[in-house]
Amino acid sequence: MDYMKHWCAVLAFLLLCSGTALAEVNTAMLESTENAAVFSDDNGVNTVIRPEGQPYFGEIQQENTMLCTYVDYVEMPDMDDTVFIRLSLALETWEPIAADRIGIRVGKENYIFDVSARNSEYDMTYYEDYVFCLTDKSLPMLKTMASGKTDVWDLTFYGAKQVFGSLHLDHTAMKKIYNRYVDAKGNKQGLESFRDIWPCVVEKVK
């Protein structure tokens, strides 16, 4: 009997380690989100499900700089078919920011993400895209946004210099996005396995 218990435990451990997606996500539920756009990502592999009403426009405290943000569901076959919530911050600026971290303050916590910009330039205008997915460490950020009543969040770009701004995300839309993800079992996928891919440090602030 002890022998059987031992091998059952080993089998359970191997099943846990063989794939990170511990729960099958109801992607049909996500794709059926009212007025959502469903399309292939730039890499031709991932599937993006983008709820309506986007992009969201923010503010940057730097002259001639514009910010728009997208919040998507993204199914990634190369990541064990895991479905993430992804944030994309797109900047258009006359002066590059070239951040290596982005901080988003939500309540009494500052979520600091390691990032690497996708850069391009045309006619002296610089375009910087910062893209990261939410893991178990950072998904609580969206949960807090969804449960609040504000649409504006302090934003900091960290690099050679600090650039401040504000992220404008409609809290009603964030609530719908978060709740639908939970209903589809997105938060049950073992997202902790992806912390090293999209690192996030959570700091307490006064």
Side-chain angles (χ1 to χ4, degrees):
M1 188 65 177
D2 290 340
Y3 176 84
M4 290 299 298
K5 285 183 178 180
H6 168 75
W7 281 107
C8 284
V10 171
L11 178 60
F13 177 77
L14 291 175
L15 288 173
L16 178 64
C17 295
S18 64
T20 53
L22 302 184
E24 184 175 348
V25 179
N26 188 345
T27 53
M29 175 186 291
L30 299 178
E31 291 181 358
S32 67
T33 301
E34 186 176 4
N35 297 324
V38 181
F39 55 92
S40 294
D41 205 358
D42 294 342
N43 62 10
V45 177
N46 301 336
T47 299
V48 179
I49 306 167
R50 178 167 293 166
E52 64 178 335
Q54 303 196 38
Y56 306 102
F57 294 94
E59 297 178 357
I60 301 296
Q61 296 176 17
Q62 176 172 284
E63 188 176 2
N64 298 314
T65 302
M66 295 179 57
L67 166 68
C68 62
T69 306
Y70 299 89
V71 184
D72 309 311
Y73 307 114
V74 183
E75 182 180 8
M76 298 188 177
D78 292 342
M79 300 281 185
D80 294 325
D81 290 320
T82 307
V83 180
F84 298 93
I85 291 180
R86 181 182 71 177
L87 271 68
S88 304
L89 281 63
L91 291 174
E92 180 178 324
T93 177
W94 288 5
E95 182 181 352
I97 293 177
D100 55 22
R101 293 180 300 151
I102 289 177
I104 303 173
R105 178 172 175 173
V106 179
K108 294 184 178 181
E109 294 178 318
N110 192 27
Y111 291 82
I112 302 176
F113 299 87
D114 287 359
V115 294
S116 179
R118 301 174 184 173
N119 299 308
S120 61
E121 181 268 334
Y122 178 76
D123 195 23
M124 299 302 294
T125 299
Y126 297 89
Y127 301 90
E128 297 183 350
D129 294 337
Y130 298 91
V131 181
F132 50 90
C133 294
L134 303 184
T135 69
D136 66 309
K137 287 278 289 185
S138 47
L139 190 60
M141 178 188 75
L142 190 65
K143 181 179 181 180
T144 302
M145 289 179 171
S147 62
K149 294 184 178 180
T150 182
D151 300 330
V152 181
W153 313 95
D154 291 341
L155 179 67
T156 305
F157 292 88
Y158 301 93
K161 59 180 179 179
Q162 288 190 20
V163 178
F164 301 99
S166 57
L167 195 63
H168 294 199
L169 298 175
D170 179 76
H171 71 277
T172 301
M174 295 305 104
K175 183 175 182 178
K176 291 179 180 178
I177 290 172
Y178 177 79
N179 287 348
R180 201 163 187 85
Y181 188 66
V182 170
D183 290 343
K185 301 188 184 304
N187 63 324
K188 301 295 184 181
Q189 296 178 99
L191 297 174
E192 65 275 4
S193 301
F194 301 96
R195 290 181 181 180
D196 291 341
I197 300 176
W198 296 287
C200 177
V201 174
V202 184
E203 295 182 347
K204 294 290 184 180
V205 293
K206 296 180 179 179

